Amino acid sequence: MKRLVLLTVLLLLFRLSSASLVWQAENTVPLEVQKAARSSLERSMLPRLGADGELSAMLRRNGQDGYVLNLQYKGRTLEEDLIEPVGTMERRLSENLEYDGLALLDPIGEQSLSFRFSTGYGTKALKEGSQWWVLDGQGNRRGSVVVSKTFKAQQMSLLDQTEGKKLSLGMALVPRLSYPVSLSVDMDVSFALGFSLTVGSLFPVYPFSWFLEAAYRPGSTVSLSVGLQSQLPLASVFSDASHLWRNLAVLARSSVGYGYATSLSQQVLCAQGSVGFSYQVGSFSFLLLGGNRFIANAGTIAEQGLFLSLSSAYTYTP
């Protein structure tokens, strides 16, 4: 009973510390127009407001087919014109508020999402290949980005989203751990399980990175390998509007190492290369990889051939 009461109190406190929308509309405004405008505000503006922030909105008719949306936040005001058809109204309002909504926000810091381009975001010049958390107005992690390109002459950097929810301009950037540590479990087509511990970091040349991996495959090998990896977020190719593209990436990796083959009771050299997909959900990732593996020692081949594996990994990235 005490736990239930505590949980209820925590949920109430969380709600009280979140931004809210105070909505008003004239009776002459159709319900579908109200729904489109309100949904746009909840998606594009509320995540950017500070804790306990209160956004006031008034929607009224303007002529035969037009509407005017008046917004107010902390004494600042903004007016947006809405034009039918209703089917595209929510999308168009969200696009307009991406930049126009900055007029309602507190001044943004230097390390924040400053401008948009077709498949990502931009900010002041940052180190190419560095990774950053993106925080919403309440200081919660909204997603993560990587610096894909830096233009020193223009003092600006382009950012690709690697996972998370839809981002918006004005959200703050916080650096991620430079050397994330991952613990993963993989399963091949014979349902044999393997385990690995990996640490790595991006190179200054995006999207390449290096990694050091300790792996154990029951009944096969224990190995320590070093490798190269290239991971390209599909949001940088298509668009970050879709949840799938924001969290899915194409992955290619190769490694060489030294280990012990339990089947031969001998020390062996290991090498493998693979390509596939990675799907990121917060600190967890799911990988589907196919490739070629080679394990040998003193002219004896312990293992060679194609493989297909499904892996899940937890990455520690404070």
Side-chain angles (χ1 to χ4, degrees):
M1 183 64 182
K2 291 182 178 179
R3 292 181 178 179
L4 180 60
V5 173
L6 179 59
L7 180 60
T8 303
V9 171
L10 290 175
L11 289 173
L12 289 174
L13 289 175
F14 176 79
R15 279 185 168 272
L16 290 174
S17 62
S18 300
S20 60
L21 174 64
V22 179
W23 177 262
Q24 290 180 296
E26 291 181 345
N27 295 332
T28 57
V29 179
L31 291 179
E32 59 268 24
V33 175
Q34 294 189 41
K35 182 180 178 181
R38 183 164 185 165
S39 177
S40 177
L41 292 176
E42 291 173 344
R43 292 173 54 191
S44 61
M45 288 303 301
L46 291 190
R48 294 194 274 178
L49 304 184
D52 301 324
E54 186 177 273
L55 176 65
S56 298
M58 176 64 186
L59 181 61
R60 56 185 175 83
R61 184 177 285 277
N62 181 26
Q64 185 66 26
D65 299 320
Y67 307 90
V68 174
L69 179 64
N70 296 103
L71 303 175
Q72 185 173 357
Y73 180 70
K74 290 186 176 181
R76 311 179 189 107
T77 60
L78 177 65
E79 187 174 282
E80 291 287 334
D81 293 322
L82 307 183
I83 303 175
E84 294 189 352
V86 179
T88 60
M89 187 175 291
E90 181 179 344
R91 176 182 57 81
R92 286 186 283 111
L93 178 58
S94 297
E95 292 174 352
N96 292 340
L97 288 174
E98 184 75 17
Y99 279 100
D100 295 349
L102 294 173
L104 296 175
L105 306 181
D106 295 328
I108 62 176
E110 290 187 354
Q111 291 183 348
S112 61
L113 303 181
S114 305
F115 62 91
R116 282 279 286 154
F117 63 98
S118 58
T119 58
Y121 296 85
T123 186
K124 73 163 195 175
L126 300 173
K127 180 182 178 182
E128 187 169 326
S130 60
Q131 300 183 75
W132 298 76
W133 291 114
V134 182
L135 307 183
D136 63 17
Q138 291 87 51
N140 302 314
R141 289 178 180 175
R142 184 83 175 176
S144 62
V145 295
V146 60
V147 181
S148 59
K149 184 69 175 178
T150 294
F151 302 92
K152 295 183 179 180
Q154 291 80 15
Q155 287 295 296
M156 56 176 279
S157 294
L158 302 182
L159 311 173
D160 291 336
Q161 186 169 0
T162 55
E163 61 91 15
K165 301 178 182 179
K166 187 74 171 66
L167 307 179
S168 296
L169 296 182
M171 291 184 174
L173 297 171
V174 176
R176 292 181 57 167
L177 182 68
S178 300
Y179 300 94
V181 180
S182 300
L183 177 64
S184 64
V185 179
D186 67 84
M187 180 177 64
D188 60 22
V189 292
S190 64
F191 299 103
L193 295 178
F195 307 90
S196 62
L197 183 66
T198 307
V199 60
S201 181
L202 285 168
F203 282 126
V205 181
Y206 175 81
F208 299 99
S209 62
W210 65 269
F211 64 89
L212 183 66
E213 181 179 70
Y216 171 60
R217 301 178 64 222
S220 179
T221 56
V222 180
S223 62
L224 181 65
S225 303
V226 62
L228 295 176
Q229 176 175 291
S230 176
Q231 185 166 333
L232 182 65
L234 291 184
S236 65
V237 179
F238 299 102
S239 168
D240 61 355
S242 166
H243 174 84
L244 178 64
W245 301 140
R246 288 197 302 268
N247 295 273
L248 189 64
V250 177
L251 179 68
R253 61 192 310 182
S254 62
S255 64
V256 294
Y258 188 76
Y260 180 80
T262 56
S263 58
L264 299 176
S265 299
Q266 292 181 349
Q267 297 175 347
V268 294
L269 295 176
C270 313
Q272 75 173 38
S274 59
V275 295
F277 296 94
S278 171
Y279 185 79
Q280 192 78 25
V281 183
S283 297
F284 291 90
S285 59
F286 302 90
L287 298 89
L288 179 62
L289 298 174
N292 194 10
R293 181 183 292 123
F294 182 84
I295 302 174
N297 179 36
T300 301
I301 298 177
E303 183 178 340
Q304 181 182 13
L306 301 177
F307 70 90
L308 180 68
S309 68
L310 178 64
S311 307
S312 62
Y314 173 81
T315 304
Y316 176 68
T317 51

